[in-house]
Amino acid sequence: MTQKELEQLLGDMTLPEKIGQMTQLMGNFYEDDSSSVLTGPAGDLNISKEQLTYAGSVLSGYGAGELIRMQDAYLKSQPHRIPMLFMRDIIHGMKTIFPIPLAQGASFDPELTEKCAEATAKEAAVSGLHVTFAPMTDLVRDARWGRVMESTGEDPYLNSRMTEAAVRGFQGKDVKEPYRIAACLKHFAGYGAATAGRDYNAVEMGEHTLREYYLPSFQAGIDTGAKLVMTAFHTIDGVPCSVNRHLMKEILRDEMGFEGVLISDFGALGETVTHGYCADGTDAARKSLEAGVDIDMMSSVYPGSLRYLVKEEPEYMEMIDACVMRILQLKNALGLFENPYKDADPEEEKKIILCPSHRELARKASSASFVLLKNDGLLPLSEGKDGKKIAFIGPYVYSRQLNSSWAFTGDSRDCVSLKEAAEEIFPGEQTVYLQGCPMLGAEAAFLSGFGEEAKGALLTVTEEEKRNMLQNAVLAAKQADIVVLALGEHFLQSGEATSRAMIEIPEIQMEMFREIRRVNNRIVVILFNGRPLDLREISREAGAILEVWLPGTEGGHAVVDVLTGRVNPSGRLPMSFPYCVGQVPVFYNELRTGRPKIPGQSERFQSKYLDIPNEPLYPFGFGLSYTEFQISPVELSSQSMTPGGSIEARVTVKNIGHTEGTETLQMYLGDLSASVARPVKELKGFRKVTLSPGESREEEFQISEETLRFVRADGRFVSEPGTFRIWIGNSSQTENCAEFELRMNCRELC
Ligand code: BGC
């Protein structure tokens, strides 16, 4: 449709039709859909038959047949035949589940993420979906917050590149094209900074911090053309985001240039009353409109109160029209007026879902996300040719629950377990497989409200069975040359509403670890988890640690690929692993403080802890390989730069080991003095370099005046003259640096 036609359509619509477009309900409001999963309190919305008929978008539900039927029935009841939008959380895969977003962050490979998002969009589109509530682009620093698994980590630069990649992958160049779906950036804004890491909790954050760290990834997504943005649940400095006019109108729309559809989070408009900010539904409707929220997801604020609001205050009609126009434009951009089913096709669904090429991609993306945290020479394992006996022990040996709590549409029965994959490679007579202990002990009780999915975790094992499991595992470990221990969080221990105050591996698994360690010290730990954990004991006692996150459908194969060295690990941590929970939030790009801790100096009045180091156990950007790389000192093309110019920073990377491998070069910048204190260092570039043994390559990063910009106290994004430091290395703790000056004349300074 042309814009003129859309305007005519809007002019023709009745108020109930308009309010319908601004209302989103769950699929199971239309039929009994037991596969729908409510992600929050649905409440009693008091939706009338008429409101149900007009609601313009649906959350949850999938499957071409079902959604085609729903669309047909819907269109018949629509006076203007405006099609319905089908939206769902397709976060890291539809049926082929790719590694969780935090793991994708660890790959430092935006191109790979783009491919995963593209394959996800394809499976979702043929299943009838039009919009995914992804990517979650919130910056995360607090491992207690369960939703860190949905983010790509603690760094604004990495998050921005990953967000762009995901949006490109979902939407392509034109979302109308076949196999594309619209992306929704969430949650605007600052959701990752929930006080004390407790989900939905208030956020207290200065605007400088918000703009400097939390908004860049949203800006990157908007600039890449993301069609939707979702509001966040929390209050920021006392005002709920969902009705926060300053945040949504002045920052998101006016400053950041977002022109698409703004949707509330699940029930969030109604919760503004619970927050104690809006007096009632009408007040919430007024404030949401003023903030420019176009769609109310699953609350009764818009369907219940908008008509009363405009009756009393007709001037709000103009705002309603603006919201409806944006929604019509989105439907138009997806081509739904011409083809309301878009790509929904039961035949294509059969061919595309879980097709070999998607499985292959999932396997590659998983292994690329694994981070080798420690290796005392135990890895890679030989494939049995050396005659060594391997005992695979732990709850993740058999488990197929390798997806996450955000893979609603995935099915763990499609996953390949570690045992299944290992059996394809290792000779049967040299290997044993044992569970050793249940996944959870006392922690299982905390999952009691988690519905059907938690059943596996809650299965009770008698004390005697537990003893037997452990005894058998210890015996097998004693007889083995090497033990591969597959440990970790239950997949329901991370995700929404899963904050944890103790970020440890479940105690029952640690008890097993200790027993096994007593009889065999050649232990390789494979860690499955959705968040950084406290790994002090494991890192001290295990011979090797491979972080594999929640790796998705092809997880088992990918783990075996890396264990055997068929794939050399190249992932790098996208989030610091704290020394212990008392250090959280801990992140590499912190400010210096006036009394920084100087290594090697023991001064009393320094910014430090008495009992633990300042540094995390494993820092951002860290990860080992089966080979070793040497990075030469940083060389600069010049010691000074002026606006309009640039400096090239060069290093030579050499593979000095015995096997091919990939180094992730990371370029960090530090501004030594500015009108706002600047972080110790900040990531400004990265590159993956694959080299054969003995091979070396010169790599160059370009720095321009734009690279040096930051948010000043007055909110402007500019650079200031002075001395800068540039580091190029293989983690945020690199010391390999050089210095240069940015020079400006008076005119440039103003
Ligand atoms: C989550 C969102 C999600 C929505 C719909 C909410 O509980 O915060 O991220 O998109 O549910 O499922």
Side-chain angles (χ1 to χ4, degrees), residues 345-597:
D345 183 333
E347 289 311 309
E348 286 258 80
E349 232 178 346
K350 279 184 217 145
K351 276 189 255 154
I352 288 170
I353 282 177
L354 284 163
C355 63
S357 68
H358 286 182
R359 276 191 174 271
E360 201 180 305
L361 178 63
R363 182 169 179 164
K364 184 171 172 205
S366 294
S367 59
S369 77
F370 298 169
V371 186
L372 184 64
L373 294 176
K374 179 176 180 185
N375 190 13
D376 286 349
L378 296 185
L379 290 177
L381 302 177
S382 97
E383 295 177 14
K385 286 166 218 112
D386 57 1
K388 293 223 166 95
K389 287 198 192 116
I390 310 173
F392 287 87
I393 301 174
Y396 270 107
V397 169
Y398 285 85
S399 178
R400 288 218 192 114
Q401 291 191 325
L402 306 181
N403 300 332
S404 78
S405 57
W406 274 110
F408 295 131
T409 48
D411 188 335
S412 56
R413 287 170 300 187
D414 295 322
C415 291
V416 179
S417 71
L418 175 53
K419 176 172 184 280
E420 287 162 329
E423 277 173 342
E424 291 172 19
I425 302 292
F426 297 98
E429 61 284 4
Q430 282 164 234
T431 43
V432 285
Y433 302 92
L434 290 127
Q435 199 184 327
C437 69
M439 182 84 75
L440 295 174
E443 304 87 354
F446 300 125
L447 302 181
S448 58
F450 283 59
E452 276 299 296
E453 288 174 291
K455 275 222 175 109
L458 297 172
L459 269 188
T460 43
V461 180
T462 64
E463 287 307 313
E464 196 190 334
E465 282 167 333
K466 271 191 226 158
R467 264 195 306 278
N468 286 342
M469 279 167 109
L470 186 59
Q471 257 171 22
N472 293 340
V474 172
L475 190 66
K478 217 174 189 171
Q479 292 165 351
D481 294 298
I482 194 158
V483 181
V484 175
L485 265 188
L487 309 176
E489 285 187 306
H490 186 276
F491 81 102
L492 289 175
Q493 285 185 294
S494 50
E496 189 175 341
T498 60
S499 298
R500 293 181 66 193
M502 259 91 68
I503 48 173
E504 281 147 16
I505 294 173
E507 187 51 23
I508 196 160
Q509 298 185 39
M510 287 308 295
E511 281 164 11
M512 176 184 72
F513 173 79
R514 288 178 202 120
E515 292 296 319
I516 288 180
R517 175 68 181 75
R518 261 186 218 125
V519 298
N520 194 328
N521 66 1
R522 291 170 57 78
I523 298 180
V524 175
V525 169
I526 316 284
L527 262 184
F528 295 75
N529 50 317
R531 53 150 65 81
L533 295 172
D534 177 342
L535 297 179
R536 275 172 297 165
E537 188 176 346
I538 296 267
S539 83
R540 211 175 41 235
E541 303 292 337
I545 309 174
L546 183 67
E547 169 59 66
V548 303
W549 317 102
L550 287 163
T553 312
E554 284 291 319
H557 280 141
V559 171
V560 170
D561 286 343
V562 174
L563 280 181
T564 56
R566 291 174 180 213
V567 172
N568 192 343
S570 66
R572 300 288 182 262
L573 291 182
M575 198 177 168
S576 308
F577 272 45
Y579 186 83
C580 65
V581 77
Q583 213 182 34
V584 168
V586 58
F587 44 94
Y588 84 94
N589 47 358
E590 60 177 9
L591 300 186
R592 269 187 290 264
T593 80
R595 295 181 178 190
K597 188 174 175 220

Side-chain angles (χ1 to χ4, degrees), residues 39 89 133 147 186-187 230 233 265-266 297 406 496:
T39 60
D89 295 273
F133 294 131
R147 300 196 78 167
K186 67 189 192 185
H187 308 81
M230 187 185 290
F233 286 124
D265 202 345
F266 196 107
M297 185 201 295
W406 274 110
E496 189 175 341

Side-chain angles (χ1 to χ4, degrees), residues 24 26 37-41 59-60 87-91 132-134 136 138 147 150 184 186-187 191 199-200 230-233 263-267 271 297-298 406 408 496:
Q24 172 161 108
M26 297 283 295
V37 179
L38 295 177
T39 60
L59 157 68
S60 86
M87 310 198 185
R88 190 150 193 169
D89 295 273
I90 307 297
I91 308 294
T132 176
F133 294 131
M136 180 181 114
D138 297 306
R147 300 196 78 167
E150 286 176 72
C184 176
K186 67 189 192 185
H187 308 81
Y191 188 30
D199 208 0
Y200 316 128
M230 187 185 290
T231 70
F233 286 124
I263 184 166
S264 77
D265 202 345
F266 196 107
E271 288 170 23
M297 185 201 295
M298 283 295 290
W406 274 110
F408 295 131
E496 189 175 341

